[in-house]
Amino acid sequence: MMDLILDVVDLLQLQEIWSWRPSVTAFSRLQRRDGPPGLLRFDLEELVPRLTRLRHSPEWRQNHSESDPAKVPLRDFLATDLLTLYPDTDAATICQQVFRSAYQAFVVGQYRGTVAATCSWLRALAAVRCLAPDDYLDADHLPRSGSPDWIPADITDEIRSLDARYRLAEAGTPAAYVVAEQFWSLLVKAGEHDLAAIPHPNQFGVPFTRLLEVAHTWNRSPSVVGLCYQVALEEL
C-alpha cells in the first residue's frame, strides 16, 4: 500500500530562512510557526547560550575559523554543530531532522490519502468534467509532474537529500516531484455540480474536500510550490 502526500510549500520563504538569514534570525522566525508534533523546536531562548558554547568549541574554530555561529545560515551548519544545538538528537539524522522541521514550518497546505483512492477520484472528476485525463494526470492517474526548476536552486539539494520522502522516481519505489501547474486547474475549477455528479462517492473512502482546499491554497499564492510524495505506508 502507498500513501500519496501533496504538500503546498512556501519555498521562497523557506529558501530565505534556510539559506540566507543568520541562524538567530531563522530561529526567531521559526519559533513563531507551529509545526506538526514530533519535530524539533526552534527556541531562541535556548539557542543563544548553545551558540555561545559552540563558538568557543575547538571544532567550530577548526571548521569555521573565527566566524560567529549566530550569523551563519542554518544550511551552513555541519552535523557536529547541530548536535551541539540539539545534543539529545540522533547524530545520524540530525541534518535531516533540522531541515524537515524548518520545511514543515512553511507547509501551508497538505493532503494525504491512499494512492488508489486518490487516483480513482481524480480520474472520476476528470470524467464528469468531460476533460482529457492525460492533460492533468500521468499514466498512473497521479498528478502530472512539472518542471523541477520551481524548486529554488540553492535548496534543491536539501530537499532531495534531507527529506527522506524525496527519492528518484523509479517504478515501485517512493518518489516525489513538483506538481504541474495545469493539474491544479482540474480541482480549482471544479464546481459543486461536478462533485455532486461523481458516481458512488463513498467508494473512495477518503473525504476529498481537503484535496480541494489544498488546490485553492496553491492557487491563491504565487510563492508556493506543490510537491507530490508517494510513500510506502510502512515508512510513515
PDB file of all heavy atoms in Angstrom, residues 98-126:
ATOM      1  N   VAL A  98      16.612  18.697  11.292  1.00  0.00           N
ATOM      2  CA  VAL A  98      16.556  20.163  11.325  1.00  0.00           C
ATOM      3  C   VAL A  98      15.915  20.697  10.056  1.00  0.00           C
ATOM      4  O   VAL A  98      15.052  21.583  10.094  1.00  0.00           O
ATOM      5  CB  VAL A  98      17.958  20.758  11.536  1.00  0.00           C
ATOM      6  CG1 VAL A  98      17.918  22.283  11.405  1.00  0.00           C
ATOM      7  CG2 VAL A  98      18.500  20.379  12.909  1.00  0.00           C
ATOM      8  N   PHE A  99      16.305  20.148   8.893  1.00  0.00           N
ATOM      9  CA  PHE A  99      15.715  20.630   7.649  1.00  0.00           C
ATOM     10  C   PHE A  99      14.229  20.319   7.583  1.00  0.00           C
ATOM     11  O   PHE A  99      13.419  21.174   7.200  1.00  0.00           O
ATOM     12  CB  PHE A  99      16.419  20.026   6.436  1.00  0.00           C
ATOM     13  CG  PHE A  99      15.773  20.457   5.136  1.00  0.00           C
ATOM     14  CD1 PHE A  99      16.000  21.728   4.637  1.00  0.00           C
ATOM     15  CD2 PHE A  99      14.919  19.615   4.439  1.00  0.00           C
ATOM     16  CE1 PHE A  99      15.382  22.145   3.469  1.00  0.00           C
ATOM     17  CE2 PHE A  99      14.303  20.024   3.276  1.00  0.00           C
ATOM     18  CZ  PHE A  99      14.535  21.297   2.783  1.00  0.00           C
ATOM     19  N   ARG A 100      13.838  19.085   7.934  1.00  0.00           N
ATOM     20  CA  ARG A 100      12.428  18.726   7.879  1.00  0.00           C
ATOM     21  C   ARG A 100      11.598  19.613   8.808  1.00  0.00           C
ATOM     22  O   ARG A 100      10.459  19.978   8.486  1.00  0.00           O
ATOM     23  CB  ARG A 100      12.231  17.260   8.243  1.00  0.00           C
ATOM     24  CG  ARG A 100      12.543  16.280   7.137  1.00  0.00           C
ATOM     25  CD  ARG A 100      11.607  16.404   5.953  1.00  0.00           C
ATOM     26  NE  ARG A 100      10.204  16.277   6.332  1.00  0.00           N
ATOM     27  CZ  ARG A 100       9.579  15.131   6.567  1.00  0.00           C
ATOM     28  NH1 ARG A 100      10.232  13.982   6.466  1.00  0.00           N
ATOM     29  NH2 ARG A 100       8.300  15.118   6.891  1.00  0.00           N
ATOM     30  N   SER A 101      12.160  19.965   9.961  1.00  0.00           N
ATOM     31  CA  SER A 101      11.436  20.822  10.896  1.00  0.00           C
ATOM     32  C   SER A 101      11.251  22.219  10.316  1.00  0.00           C
ATOM     33  O   SER A 101      10.187  22.834  10.464  1.00  0.00           O
ATOM     34  CB  SER A 101      12.174  20.890  12.229  1.00  0.00           C
ATOM     35  OG  SER A 101      12.275  19.606  12.822  1.00  0.00           O
ATOM     36  N   ALA A 102      12.289  22.739   9.652  1.00  0.00           N
ATOM     37  CA  ALA A 102      12.171  24.042   9.005  1.00  0.00           C
ATOM     38  C   ALA A 102      11.213  23.963   7.819  1.00  0.00           C
ATOM     39  O   ALA A 102      10.367  24.846   7.620  1.00  0.00           O
ATOM     40  CB  ALA A 102      13.540  24.525   8.550  1.00  0.00           C
ATOM     41  N   TYR A 103      11.322  22.900   7.034  1.00  0.00           N
ATOM     42  CA  TYR A 103      10.447  22.700   5.872  1.00  0.00           C
ATOM     43  C   TYR A 103       8.982  22.686   6.291  1.00  0.00           C
ATOM     44  O   TYR A 103       8.136  23.370   5.696  1.00  0.00           O
ATOM     45  CB  TYR A 103      10.838  21.394   5.194  1.00  0.00           C
ATOM     46  CG  TYR A 103       9.895  20.894   4.119  1.00  0.00           C
ATOM     47  CD1 TYR A 103      10.137  21.165   2.776  1.00  0.00           C
ATOM     48  CD2 TYR A 103       8.777  20.126   4.444  1.00  0.00           C
ATOM     49  CE1 TYR A 103       9.278  20.687   1.786  1.00  0.00           C
ATOM     50  CE2 TYR A 103       7.920  19.656   3.468  1.00  0.00           C
ATOM     51  CZ  TYR A 103       8.175  19.932   2.145  1.00  0.00           C
ATOM     52  OH  TYR A 103       7.322  19.469   1.176  1.00  0.00           O
ATOM     53  N   GLN A 104       8.668  21.927   7.339  1.00  0.00           N
ATOM     54  CA  GLN A 104       7.276  21.799   7.770  1.00  0.00           C
ATOM     55  C   GLN A 104       6.691  23.124   8.247  1.00  0.00           C
ATOM     56  O   GLN A 104       5.476  23.328   8.190  1.00  0.00           O
ATOM     57  CB  GLN A 104       7.165  20.747   8.876  1.00  0.00           C
ATOM     58  CG  GLN A 104       7.342  19.326   8.396  1.00  0.00           C
ATOM     59  CD  GLN A 104       6.217  18.865   7.481  1.00  0.00           C
ATOM     60  OE1 GLN A 104       5.099  19.365   7.554  1.00  0.00           O
ATOM     61  NE2 GLN A 104       6.504  17.903   6.620  1.00  0.00           N
ATOM     62  N   ALA A 105       7.553  24.038   8.694  1.00  0.00           N
ATOM     63  CA  ALA A 105       7.064  25.345   9.138  1.00  0.00           C
ATOM     64  C   ALA A 105       6.488  26.154   7.986  1.00  0.00           C
ATOM     65  O   ALA A 105       5.732  27.103   8.209  1.00  0.00           O
ATOM     66  CB  ALA A 105       8.194  26.120   9.813  1.00  0.00           C
ATOM     67  N   PHE A 106       6.839  25.790   6.750  1.00  0.00           N
ATOM     68  CA  PHE A 106       6.386  26.551   5.594  1.00  0.00           C
ATOM     69  C   PHE A 106       5.435  25.751   4.708  1.00  0.00           C
ATOM     70  O   PHE A 106       5.145  26.152   3.583  1.00  0.00           O
ATOM     71  CB  PHE A 106       7.591  27.052   4.791  1.00  0.00           C
ATOM     72  CG  PHE A 106       8.406  28.050   5.560  1.00  0.00           C
ATOM     73  CD1 PHE A 106       9.574  27.680   6.203  1.00  0.00           C
ATOM     74  CD2 PHE A 106       7.977  29.365   5.676  1.00  0.00           C
ATOM     75  CE1 PHE A 106      10.303  28.598   6.939  1.00  0.00           C
ATOM     76  CE2 PHE A 106       8.696  30.285   6.410  1.00  0.00           C
ATOM     77  CZ  PHE A 106       9.869  29.904   7.046  1.00  0.00           C
ATOM     78  N   VAL A 107       4.957  24.612   5.226  1.00  0.00           N
ATOM     79  CA  VAL A 107       3.900  23.879   4.534  1.00  0.00           C
ATOM     80  C   VAL A 107       2.577  24.567   4.860  1.00  0.00           C
ATOM     81  O   VAL A 107       2.141  24.578   6.008  1.00  0.00           O
ATOM     82  CB  VAL A 107       3.856  22.399   4.967  1.00  0.00           C
ATOM     83  CG1 VAL A 107       2.663  21.692   4.356  1.00  0.00           C
ATOM     84  CG2 VAL A 107       5.136  21.692   4.556  1.00  0.00           C
ATOM     85  N   VAL A 108       1.955  25.167   3.863  1.00  0.00           N
ATOM     86  CA  VAL A 108       0.725  25.923   4.089  1.00  0.00           C
ATOM     87  C   VAL A 108      -0.517  25.097   3.779  1.00  0.00           C
ATOM     88  O   VAL A 108      -1.639  25.519   4.067  1.00  0.00           O
ATOM     89  CB  VAL A 108       0.719  27.225   3.264  1.00  0.00           C
ATOM     90  CG1 VAL A 108       1.858  28.134   3.702  1.00  0.00           C
ATOM     91  CG2 VAL A 108       0.835  26.938   1.772  1.00  0.00           C
ATOM     92  N   GLY A 109      -0.351  23.937   3.188  1.00  0.00           N
ATOM     93  CA  GLY A 109      -1.465  23.054   2.916  1.00  0.00           C
ATOM     94  C   GLY A 109      -0.957  21.658   2.632  1.00  0.00           C
ATOM     95  O   GLY A 109       0.074  21.497   1.976  1.00  0.00           O
ATOM     96  N   GLN A 110      -1.638  20.651   3.158  1.00  0.00           N
ATOM     97  CA  GLN A 110      -1.204  19.276   2.920  1.00  0.00           C
ATOM     98  C   GLN A 110      -2.406  18.355   2.773  1.00  0.00           C
ATOM     99  O   GLN A 110      -3.393  18.473   3.512  1.00  0.00           O
ATOM    100  CB  GLN A 110      -0.328  18.752   4.060  1.00  0.00           C
ATOM    101  CG  GLN A 110       0.245  17.361   3.799  1.00  0.00           C
ATOM    102  CD  GLN A 110       1.078  16.839   4.956  1.00  0.00           C
ATOM    103  OE1 GLN A 110       0.533  16.416   5.972  1.00  0.00           O
ATOM    104  NE2 GLN A 110       2.392  16.860   4.795  1.00  0.00           N
ATOM    105  N   TYR A 111      -2.307  17.469   1.807  1.00  0.00           N
ATOM    106  CA  TYR A 111      -3.300  16.418   1.610  1.00  0.00           C
ATOM    107  C   TYR A 111      -2.610  15.069   1.736  1.00  0.00           C
ATOM    108  O   TYR A 111      -1.503  14.883   1.227  1.00  0.00           O
ATOM    109  CB  TYR A 111      -3.940  16.519   0.223  1.00  0.00           C
ATOM    110  CG  TYR A 111      -4.675  15.253  -0.174  1.00  0.00           C
ATOM    111  CD1 TYR A 111      -5.971  15.013   0.280  1.00  0.00           C
ATOM    112  CD2 TYR A 111      -4.061  14.282  -0.971  1.00  0.00           C
ATOM    113  CE1 TYR A 111      -6.634  13.833  -0.062  1.00  0.00           C
ATOM    114  CE2 TYR A 111      -4.725  13.108  -1.318  1.00  0.00           C
ATOM    115  CZ  TYR A 111      -6.005  12.893  -0.852  1.00  0.00           C
ATOM    116  OH  TYR A 111      -6.656  11.727  -1.185  1.00  0.00           O
ATOM    117  N   ARG A 112      -3.283  14.132   2.390  1.00  0.00           N
ATOM    118  CA  ARG A 112      -2.768  12.765   2.464  1.00  0.00           C
ATOM    119  C   ARG A 112      -3.916  11.789   2.272  1.00  0.00           C
ATOM    120  O   ARG A 112      -4.960  11.903   2.905  1.00  0.00           O
ATOM    121  CB  ARG A 112      -2.091  12.492   3.807  1.00  0.00           C
ATOM    122  CG  ARG A 112      -1.743  11.023   4.011  1.00  0.00           C
ATOM    123  CD  ARG A 112      -1.121  10.781   5.364  1.00  0.00           C
ATOM    124  NE  ARG A 112       0.314  10.942   5.299  1.00  0.00           N
ATOM    125  CZ  ARG A 112       1.098  11.049   6.374  1.00  0.00           C
ATOM    126  NH1 ARG A 112       0.579  11.068   7.571  1.00  0.00           N
ATOM    127  NH2 ARG A 112       2.398  11.158   6.242  1.00  0.00           N
ATOM    128  N   GLY A 113      -3.719  10.854   1.368  1.00  0.00           N
ATOM    129  CA  GLY A 113      -4.712   9.813   1.116  1.00  0.00           C
ATOM    130  C   GLY A 113      -4.036   8.651   0.423  1.00  0.00           C
ATOM    131  O   GLY A 113      -2.899   8.754  -0.021  1.00  0.00           O
ATOM    132  N   THR A 114      -4.712   7.529   0.342  1.00  0.00           N
ATOM    133  CA  THR A 114      -4.104   6.400  -0.338  1.00  0.00           C
ATOM    134  C   THR A 114      -3.996   6.686  -1.823  1.00  0.00           C
ATOM    135  O   THR A 114      -4.808   7.421  -2.398  1.00  0.00           O
ATOM    136  CB  THR A 114      -4.918   5.112  -0.134  1.00  0.00           C
ATOM    137  OG1 THR A 114      -6.187   5.253  -0.762  1.00  0.00           O
ATOM    138  CG2 THR A 114      -5.096   4.807   1.352  1.00  0.00           C
ATOM    139  N   VAL A 115      -2.989   6.113  -2.440  1.00  0.00           N
ATOM    140  CA  VAL A 115      -2.793   6.314  -3.874  1.00  0.00           C
ATOM    141  C   VAL A 115      -4.003   5.814  -4.651  1.00  0.00           C
ATOM    142  O   VAL A 115      -4.516   6.492  -5.548  1.00  0.00           O
ATOM    143  CB  VAL A 115      -1.510   5.607  -4.355  1.00  0.00           C
ATOM    144  CG1 VAL A 115      -1.432   5.602  -5.880  1.00  0.00           C
ATOM    145  CG2 VAL A 115      -0.279   6.289  -3.773  1.00  0.00           C
ATOM    146  N   ALA A 116      -4.498   4.635  -4.305  1.00  0.00           N
ATOM    147  CA  ALA A 116      -5.596   4.029  -5.062  1.00  0.00           C
ATOM    148  C   ALA A 116      -6.846   4.895  -5.021  1.00  0.00           C
ATOM    149  O   ALA A 116      -7.460   5.181  -6.062  1.00  0.00           O
ATOM    150  CB  ALA A 116      -5.895   2.630  -4.526  1.00  0.00           C
ATOM    151  N   ALA A 117      -7.237   5.328  -3.824  1.00  0.00           N
ATOM    152  CA  ALA A 117      -8.457   6.127  -3.700  1.00  0.00           C
ATOM    153  C   ALA A 117      -8.300   7.488  -4.367  1.00  0.00           C
ATOM    154  O   ALA A 117      -9.201   7.969  -5.052  1.00  0.00           O
ATOM    155  CB  ALA A 117      -8.821   6.293  -2.229  1.00  0.00           C
ATOM    156  N   THR A 118      -7.148   8.110  -4.176  1.00  0.00           N
ATOM    157  CA  THR A 118      -6.934   9.432  -4.758  1.00  0.00           C
ATOM    158  C   THR A 118      -6.945   9.382  -6.277  1.00  0.00           C
ATOM    159  O   THR A 118      -7.579  10.209  -6.937  1.00  0.00           O
ATOM    160  CB  THR A 118      -5.598  10.022  -4.265  1.00  0.00           C
ATOM    161  OG1 THR A 118      -5.584  10.039  -2.832  1.00  0.00           O
ATOM    162  CG2 THR A 118      -5.413  11.437  -4.785  1.00  0.00           C
ATOM    163  N   CYS A 119      -6.253   8.407  -6.845  1.00  0.00           N
ATOM    164  CA  CYS A 119      -6.198   8.303  -8.303  1.00  0.00           C
ATOM    165  C   CYS A 119      -7.576   8.020  -8.894  1.00  0.00           C
ATOM    166  O   CYS A 119      -7.946   8.585  -9.930  1.00  0.00           O
ATOM    167  CB  CYS A 119      -5.215   7.212  -8.719  1.00  0.00           C
ATOM    168  SG  CYS A 119      -3.498   7.576  -8.325  1.00  0.00           S
ATOM    169  N   SER A 120      -8.336   7.158  -8.233  1.00  0.00           N
ATOM    170  CA  SER A 120      -9.677   6.840  -8.719  1.00  0.00           C
ATOM    171  C   SER A 120     -10.565   8.082  -8.694  1.00  0.00           C
ATOM    172  O   SER A 120     -11.330   8.341  -9.633  1.00  0.00           O
ATOM    173  CB  SER A 120     -10.314   5.732  -7.869  1.00  0.00           C
ATOM    174  OG  SER A 120      -9.579   4.533  -7.991  1.00  0.00           O
ATOM    175  N   TRP A 121     -10.463   8.859  -7.641  1.00  0.00           N
ATOM    176  CA  TRP A 121     -11.291  10.062  -7.517  1.00  0.00           C
ATOM    177  C   TRP A 121     -10.893  11.109  -8.548  1.00  0.00           C
ATOM    178  O   TRP A 121     -11.753  11.756  -9.152  1.00  0.00           O
ATOM    179  CB  TRP A 121     -11.166  10.623  -6.108  1.00  0.00           C
ATOM    180  CG  TRP A 121     -12.126  11.747  -5.833  1.00  0.00           C
ATOM    181  CD1 TRP A 121     -13.429  11.628  -5.449  1.00  0.00           C
ATOM    182  CD2 TRP A 121     -11.850  13.142  -5.931  1.00  0.00           C
ATOM    183  NE1 TRP A 121     -13.987  12.876  -5.296  1.00  0.00           N
ATOM    184  CE2 TRP A 121     -13.046  13.823  -5.586  1.00  0.00           C
ATOM    185  CE3 TRP A 121     -10.722  13.888  -6.267  1.00  0.00           C
ATOM    186  CZ2 TRP A 121     -13.137  15.207  -5.561  1.00  0.00           C
ATOM    187  CZ3 TRP A 121     -10.807  15.274  -6.255  1.00  0.00           C
ATOM    188  CH2 TRP A 121     -11.997  15.926  -5.914  1.00  0.00           C
ATOM    189  N   LEU A 122      -9.589  11.287  -8.770  1.00  0.00           N
ATOM    190  CA  LEU A 122      -9.136  12.251  -9.776  1.00  0.00           C
ATOM    191  C   LEU A 122      -9.604  11.854 -11.171  1.00  0.00           C
ATOM    192  O   LEU A 122     -10.032  12.695 -11.969  1.00  0.00           O
ATOM    193  CB  LEU A 122      -7.607  12.363  -9.738  1.00  0.00           C
ATOM    194  CG  LEU A 122      -6.999  13.039  -8.505  1.00  0.00           C
ATOM    195  CD1 LEU A 122      -5.480  12.876  -8.501  1.00  0.00           C
ATOM    196  CD2 LEU A 122      -7.375  14.520  -8.454  1.00  0.00           C
ATOM    197  N   ARG A 123      -9.530  10.574 -11.459  1.00  0.00           N
ATOM    198  CA  ARG A 123      -9.993  10.086 -12.762  1.00  0.00           C
ATOM    199  C   ARG A 123     -11.498  10.302 -12.918  1.00  0.00           C
ATOM    200  O   ARG A 123     -11.973  10.718 -13.976  1.00  0.00           O
ATOM    201  CB  ARG A 123      -9.632   8.610 -12.913  1.00  0.00           C
ATOM    202  CG  ARG A 123      -9.871   8.063 -14.317  1.00  0.00           C
ATOM    203  CD  ARG A 123      -9.259   6.682 -14.491  1.00  0.00           C
ATOM    204  NE  ARG A 123      -9.831   5.696 -13.602  1.00  0.00           N
ATOM    205  CZ  ARG A 123      -9.197   5.162 -12.555  1.00  0.00           C
ATOM    206  NH1 ARG A 123      -7.952   5.510 -12.284  1.00  0.00           N
ATOM    207  NH2 ARG A 123      -9.780   4.254 -11.796  1.00  0.00           N
ATOM    208  N   ALA A 124     -12.245  10.072 -11.841  1.00  0.00           N
ATOM    209  CA  ALA A 124     -13.693  10.277 -11.894  1.00  0.00           C
ATOM    210  C   ALA A 124     -14.033  11.753 -12.055  1.00  0.00           C
ATOM    211  O   ALA A 124     -14.969  12.112 -12.790  1.00  0.00           O
ATOM    212  CB  ALA A 124     -14.340   9.722 -10.622  1.00  0.00           C
ATOM    213  N   LEU A 125     -13.288  12.623 -11.387  1.00  0.00           N
ATOM    214  CA  LEU A 125     -13.532  14.061 -11.515  1.00  0.00           C
ATOM    215  C   LEU A 125     -13.285  14.535 -12.939  1.00  0.00           C
ATOM    216  O   LEU A 125     -14.058  15.329 -13.493  1.00  0.00           O
ATOM    217  CB  LEU A 125     -12.645  14.834 -10.535  1.00  0.00           C
ATOM    218  CG  LEU A 125     -12.764  16.357 -10.588  1.00  0.00           C
ATOM    219  CD1 LEU A 125     -14.189  16.799 -10.267  1.00  0.00           C
ATOM    220  CD2 LEU A 125     -11.772  17.007  -9.630  1.00  0.00           C
ATOM    221  N   ALA A 126     -12.203  14.056 -13.556  1.00  0.00           N
ATOM    222  CA  ALA A 126     -11.927  14.421 -14.954  1.00  0.00           C
ATOM    223  C   ALA A 126     -13.053  13.952 -15.861  1.00  0.00           C
ATOM    224  O   ALA A 126     -13.455  14.659 -16.798  1.00  0.00           O
ATOM    225  CB  ALA A 126     -10.592  13.832 -15.391  1.00  0.00           C
TER     226      ALA A 126
END
